[in-house]
Amino acid sequence: MAQLVTNPETQHHGEGPKDRTMILNMGPQHPSTHGVLRLVLEVDGETVLRMMPDIGYLHTGIEKTYEAKFYQQCVTLADRMDYLAPFHNEMGFVLAVERLLGIEAPPRAQWIRVLLNELQRISSHLVWLGTHALDIGAMSVFLYCFREREDVLRLFEAIGGQRMFTDYFRVGGLALEAPLGWFKRVKKFSDTFFERVDEYEDLLTGNPIFQERTKGVAHISKEDATALGLSGPSLRGSGVDWDLRRDMPYSSYEKFQFGVPVETSGDVWARYLVRMREFRESNKIVQQALAGLPEGPIKADAPKIVLPERDKMKTQMEALIYHFKIVTEGFSVPAGEVYQAIESPRGELGFYVVSDGTAKPYRVHVRGPSLANLQGLPKMCEGRLIADVVAAIGSIDIVLGEIDR
Amino acid sequence: MPLAPAVTDLEQLKSRAPLDALLGWGPEAVQGARLDRDELTIDVLREAIRDVCEFLRDQQQFNFLCDVTCADWYPTEPRFHVVYHLLSQAKKLRVRLKVKVGAHDAVVPSLTPIWPGADYFEREVFDLFGVKFDGHPYLRRIQMPDDWEGHPLRKDYPVEGYR
Amino acid sequence: MPLSQYILIAVVKIAIALFVLLTACAYVVLAERKLIARMQNRWGPTRVGPFGFLQPLADGLKFILKEDLIPSHVYKPLYIAAPMLSLTLALTAIAVIPIGQSVTIGNANIPLQITDVNIALLIILGLTSVGVYGIALAGWASNSKYSLLGSLRASAQMISYELALGLSLIGVLIGAGSFSLREIVNSQAGWHWNLWYRGQFVAFFVYLMAAFAETNRVPFDLPEAETELVAGYHTEYSAMKFAMFFVAEYANMFTVACLATLLFLGGWDGPVFGPAWLMVVLPVLWFVLKVILFIFVYIWIRGTLPRFRYDQLMAFGWKFLLPLALANILITSLVIGLTA
Amino acid sequence: MHLGLFIAFAVICVAGAISLVAQRHPINSALSLIVVMGSLAVLYLLLGAEFVAAIQLIVYAGAIMVLFVFVIMLLNAGAEERTRGSRVAMALGVPGLIVVAGVLMYTLAGHTAAGQDQLAIGATYGPPVAIGRSLFREFLLPFEVTSILILIAIMGAVLLARYHAAPAPETRAIDPDEAGDLLQLAGTHGSAAGARERRRAEHRMREREVTR
Amino acid sequence: MTVPLSYYLVLSAILFSLGVLAFVVKRNIITVFMSIELMLNAVNLSFVSFAAHWHRLSGQIFVFFVMVVAAAEAAVGLAIIIAVFRTRETLNIDRVNLLKL
């Protein structure tokens, strides 16, 4: 197609470097950039010749804020980064600090953490599926997904008091024991969830239009994906069999039986299939966690770090002192540095925490999987159509809160 | 689980494969090492970082660059500790490389020729710390606006910003 | 019939037709929102009036009362003319569509149609082919990249699918031997609907697809694919001008649904019984029911299917529908030629 | 009635044609031509040629002119420039043309053939069936020849568009040096304070120009 | 009230002359091309009016053929214009005076 610039007398936007092409600003306000991502596209007709992601519109300075907060306050901040998977952020941060301290949460706490992580993965993938399908034009899947997500968020609200930013994991364990009947509710949800996944698959997997839109689209090879640092389902969609939960287990993931879905075709369709199968695998983990949940405390026996129980605080002098000291001064962490990576719904979520021996972290860096996954986007989209860009953005499942931090 | 004390003796750390191989390949590149909380940190000479990474990637199967970041130890020198986290998916092993640079020549060779994925991470370090990456194809601010003054994650950066 | 009476009847018919059409458009929008909402476990509009029945009224008021923005960078004459063109052409098509037999009032025999022309079908085709201008000019005059891409997509799509649409009708035309919609319906009287009696189900399928594409509806709604092009050719439009495009789209849906009913589903053919007044009303009722059925299919599809990609859409139109329509013509004419 | 309609649409026709000449932007010219074609279709209806009228609308207005408009949009044709050539053409063409038109009209108007019986409004002459019959019987050979012509035209158009197309700009992985240009072209991402500052500077500049 | 044949013919002559004028005066190659279409239309009008006058269908059939030729011509002509524009980057007819691209 020839030049696509409109009448020059009233031309207000910049012309392309070659007059056959056009510069298209997709975002920061655009229905399908999933937040405030801006993509600068050079298009020839509808073919994308070059693409340049421009980020930073959601920069919140969380990494700087960390340096001014006590460790126990930082968990709340971690929630706010990847707002679709707060439990994973909490998990990463809490595990990193626990390793710095040299303590470990008791088994029950670890299992509940795993349970919540997998529920969170389900809810995060639900948002991905809904928006991805909506981008491709299937409207109803979006609402079906949000129906189930609502169920999961209600479970979170019941256990953590908040739908999204629960701040439920604590260094050394969990904030509270789960409320009465909560596990039954989870069981009820989990039992019906397999059918629900079948329902989504009915609407999309067998649909020829959906297959046409996704198969062979936005391909990225195994080598490119690894070199660009893609992780999570985006990497597994390219045929790399790598899952931190299985390969470098944390928080007793080694005790669970689950499969790691891998697809080799490296396109949108492969990433779709991987995530769809992860729904089922996550649900299996949820069921295992429910079935084999150990009894016992949910907080580590580390009185200088973990807040005492409420009734102890009211009856024992010692507990009251610890409570007062932790709340007012925080707890100091031995100097050192750790890098704790976990498998978030989007990939490798790494927390690099440096301590200088005080009660506040010296430096916290978050390796957000979305940032690395975003680097793969230009590679996937160049030479393809604008409609494929939309499909590709959906398929790498980025969260801008995590990219910009 | 009490913390084991950190080990910094190179001889003692020879049991760790990547360090051993690295010392065998070019001992002058390694300035020191530290095993703390089961994580191996190798201090690498700035000029050698690119070769070290290439060696680790090609010879030691550290195929995946997880992260590039930096910590600012302001009053002390060398001030910036640029940190690389490498992952070997085959060996299921991580290693941390550290390059220390001073305030006045805060320049590190870029890893983008080896891992194109280093691009955004290095830009972010440049943006927030002001450490330059030599050979980075497009070193430009990534998070902060283009006309921003200063580098916010430096420890001497005023919390309210420069006025 | 004296001229004055002729004109009076014509004006009354036009007024009624326009009123009914516009109201129907408004309520189809409501029905669409309601139905899709129910398909998606939602309620849809419920606030305005009982069950949200006054929602279209509120929407209309909103469109009228909103500030009519004209962006500073548009090419003003065409920017203003484009939606009017769209709407006019969309509404004109209803003029040749018959909705039933005739009624006799006094001594005048009034056909239930604004004007009965011999070449009604050709006129509708002509109007839809000219309808491209509204969209093409809207996108071009908006001087915005998304609009331009949307209008290029829309024009290319409408031109391509017009071909398949036209060809799918030829089987019916060969059977009926006339361009007059009334005669085509009459040829199907007594359950001899084209859909099965003349074996035009392939043609009906092609027509259905092409009609969806002509009206820019899911799964062919690429010109206004909101996730790619924001709102396509009407990105820069607001208030009444946007409403004109909106109404034009739904009016086109009606035209297409009426045409499908007339050509394939036997028009107002159906069981007729009872007293004289019922004999007049029933055919109209059947006709309306069939149109509603067709529109329900539209809405249903919208709730179900994702959207094509541009090149897939073109390939579908040119490489699948067009050959199918041609084969249908060939077979139909062979059958008619051999049996006649 | 008949005459009234004729005069009305003839006037629209001529106005459209004049507008075609007078407009400087090709898209306006194209739209004027569409108006001419539309009113010609009405005149055909007046002459009882229904089928031709419909075809006029479908083929001319709906297909050929869409192609023109499409090409104008694609090539982004701006308003035409006046050159010396056009001035010469004006000087010679307009008077010459008036003479030719005068002679033509005089000749044609002089030969007012005695009125054949005129058709009533709405009456048709040349129904589609009759046209089809004569097209496929008497004029079968020309019909087939035109179909070959059309085929050749399609192939020629495809060939022309393909063969002479400049090599398409190649797609390539992002070259970060160019990415900078891309961002520069698209507008960079600066702070709100910076934008305010620049706006103020621009404002000051403008005020200085005004005072000067 | 009837409309004499000559009225139609005069209208046709006016349109044809305007087409010629546009052909000579206009400088944009697309507009020039459009003026050819205008002339064809003018001729079509006289065909149809003669057909109506003499009650012969052949006039209308001829219009049909003219339209087919016009369509073919438009397709090829516009393809040529696009090709010329791509190499010359201009639509001005004074700058496209060589018989090569």
Side-chain angles (χ1 to χ4, degrees), chain A residues 49-64:
Chain A
L49 299 180
R50 291 186 287 164
M51 171 194 259
M52 164 96 194
D54 184 25
I55 60 173
Y57 289 91
L58 205 63
H59 186 63
T60 45
I62 283 185
E63 286 182 8
K64 183 82 175 169

Side-chain angles (χ1 to χ4, degrees), chain A residues 136-188:
Chain A
I136 289 181
M139 199 169 141
S140 299
V141 183
F142 178 74
L143 285 137
Y144 292 150
C145 288
F146 269 60
R147 178 186 63 193
E148 267 74 70
R149 177 171 183 260
E150 202 56 35
D151 291 347
V152 180
L153 291 186
R154 285 208 189 101
L155 293 175
F156 291 167
E157 191 177 13
I159 197 169
Q162 243 271 33
R163 286 157 51 85
M164 285 169 82
F165 306 128
T166 47
D167 187 21
Y168 180 64
F169 294 177
R170 294 291 152 86
V171 177
L174 303 170
L176 293 163
E177 181 57 80
L180 271 180
W182 188 78
F183 293 106
K184 261 188 209 139
R185 284 174 66 184
V186 178
K187 180 98 179 83
K188 210 172 131 198

Side-chain angles (χ1 to χ4, degrees), chain A residues 4 6 10 13 23 25-26 30-32 46 135-137 140 143-144 147 207 212-213 217 385 388, chain C residues 36 39-42 73 143 145-146 148-149 152-153 226-228 303 305-309 311-312:
Chain A
L4 271 182
T6 41
T10 51
H13 29 247
I23 301 283
N25 264 320
M26 208 169 181
H30 188 276
S32 66
E46 290 216 18
D135 285 350
I136 289 181
S140 299
L143 285 137
Y144 292 150
R147 178 186 63 193
N207 189 321
E212 284 272 303
R213 284 296 304 275
V217 168
L385 297 173
D388 291 338
Chain C
I36 292 219
M39 287 176 197
Q40 299 168 341
N41 301 321
R42 294 185 287 128
H73 56 268
N143 196 9
K145 290 166 183 176
Y146 288 117
L148 187 67
L149 283 174
L152 280 178
R153 277 181 177 191
E226 73 275 7
T227 48
E228 295 153 29
L305 288 184
R307 179 186 303 128
F308 274 110
R309 203 174 61 203
D311 55 332
Q312 291 162 356

Side-chain angles (χ1 to χ4, degrees), chain A residues 18-192:
Chain A
K18 286 183 184 170
D19 48 2
R20 285 169 57 99
T21 62
M22 174 169 91
I23 301 283
L24 189 68
N25 264 320
M26 208 169 181
Q29 313 287 333
H30 188 276
S32 66
T33 49
H34 295 206
V36 280
L37 169 68
R38 172 178 171 217
L39 297 172
V40 181
L41 307 174
E42 185 186 347
V43 289
D44 175 23
E46 290 216 18
T47 315
V48 176
L49 299 180
R50 291 186 287 164
M51 171 194 259
M52 164 96 194
D54 184 25
I55 60 173
Y57 289 91
L58 205 63
H59 186 63
T60 45
I62 283 185
E63 286 182 8
K64 183 82 175 169
T65 318
Y66 271 125
E67 295 170 12
K69 299 278 177 197
F70 294 134
Y71 280 97
Q72 72 264 34
Q73 293 172 314
C74 291
V75 182
T76 320
L77 280 177
D79 274 346
R80 264 81 183 161
M81 276 180 296
D82 182 351
Y83 40 75
L84 293 183
F87 275 130
H88 290 91
N89 294 303
E90 289 178 19
M91 178 88 147
F93 182 75
V94 163
L95 283 178
V97 177
E98 282 171 3
R99 279 186 50 210
L100 270 176
L101 286 163
I103 59 170
E104 203 170 41
R108 185 176 171 85
Q110 291 192 4
W111 281 61
I112 294 181
R113 281 179 184 176
V114 167
L115 174 66
L116 287 170
N117 261 225
E118 294 310 316
L119 281 175
Q120 184 79 75
R121 192 183 311 277
I122 287 173
S123 87
S124 169
H125 279 7
L126 282 171
V127 176
W128 156 78
L129 179 63
T131 51
H132 186 43
L134 189 67
D135 285 350
I136 289 181
M139 199 169 141
S140 299
V141 183
F142 178 74
L143 285 137
Y144 292 150
C145 288
F146 269 60
R147 178 186 63 193
E148 267 74 70
R149 177 171 183 260
E150 202 56 35
D151 291 347
V152 180
L153 291 186
R154 285 208 189 101
L155 293 175
F156 291 167
E157 191 177 13
I159 197 169
Q162 243 271 33
R163 286 157 51 85
M164 285 169 82
F165 306 128
T166 47
D167 187 21
Y168 180 64
F169 294 177
R170 294 291 152 86
V171 177
L174 303 170
L176 293 163
E177 181 57 80
L180 271 180
W182 188 78
F183 293 106
K184 261 188 209 139
R185 284 174 66 184
V186 178
K187 180 98 179 83
K188 210 172 131 198
F189 167 79
S190 167
D191 287 343
T192 56

Side-chain angles (χ1 to χ4, degrees), chain C residues 272-282:
Chain C
V272 181
F273 47 83
W277 64 270
L278 202 60
M279 298 280 271
V280 176
V281 171
L282 270 180

Side-chain angles (χ1 to χ4, degrees), chain A residues 267-380:
Chain A
D267 49 10
V268 176
W269 175 247
R271 294 188 277 274
Y272 165 79
L273 284 183
V274 166
R275 288 201 182 85
M276 288 313 271
R277 277 156 58 193
E278 279 187 4
F279 272 130
R280 297 211 167 83
E281 297 302 333
S282 288
N283 202 21
K284 275 185 208 160
I285 299 178
V286 168
Q287 296 199 327
Q288 288 172 37
L290 285 172
L293 189 69
E295 292 298 320
I298 53 158
K299 290 176 181 174
D301 183 22
K304 287 188 176 173
I305 293 158
V306 181
L307 282 179
E309 297 290 336
R310 203 79 190 157
D311 55 335
K312 274 191 194 155
M313 187 193 95
K314 298 211 166 153
T315 51
Q316 296 176 3
M317 193 62 205
E318 214 176 323
L320 181 62
I321 291 171
Y322 281 132
H323 187 276
F324 183 75
K325 284 198 77 168
I326 292 171
V327 170
T328 53
E329 295 172 3
F331 49 85
S332 52
V333 172
E337 54 191 341
V338 293
Y339 177 79
Q340 175 65 45
I342 64 156
E343 184 78 20
S344 98
R346 273 154 275 286
E348 175 171 332
L349 173 68
F351 272 82
Y352 173 60
V353 184
V354 183
S355 165
D356 58 350
T358 61
K360 293 173 182 173
Y362 188 75
R363 165 98 175 99
V364 177
H365 172 73
V366 185
R367 189 261 188 214
S370 297
L371 181 68
N373 289 356
L374 183 66
Q375 292 191 70
L377 192 62
K379 188 111 200 156
M380 293 175 188

Side-chain angles (χ1 to χ4, degrees), chain A residues 200-218:
Chain A
Y200 315 142
E201 296 227 33
D202 281 348
L203 275 165
L204 292 177
T205 311
N207 189 321
I209 301 179
F210 186 76
Q211 290 186 7
E212 284 272 303
R213 284 296 304 275
T214 50
K215 275 186 183 165
V217 168

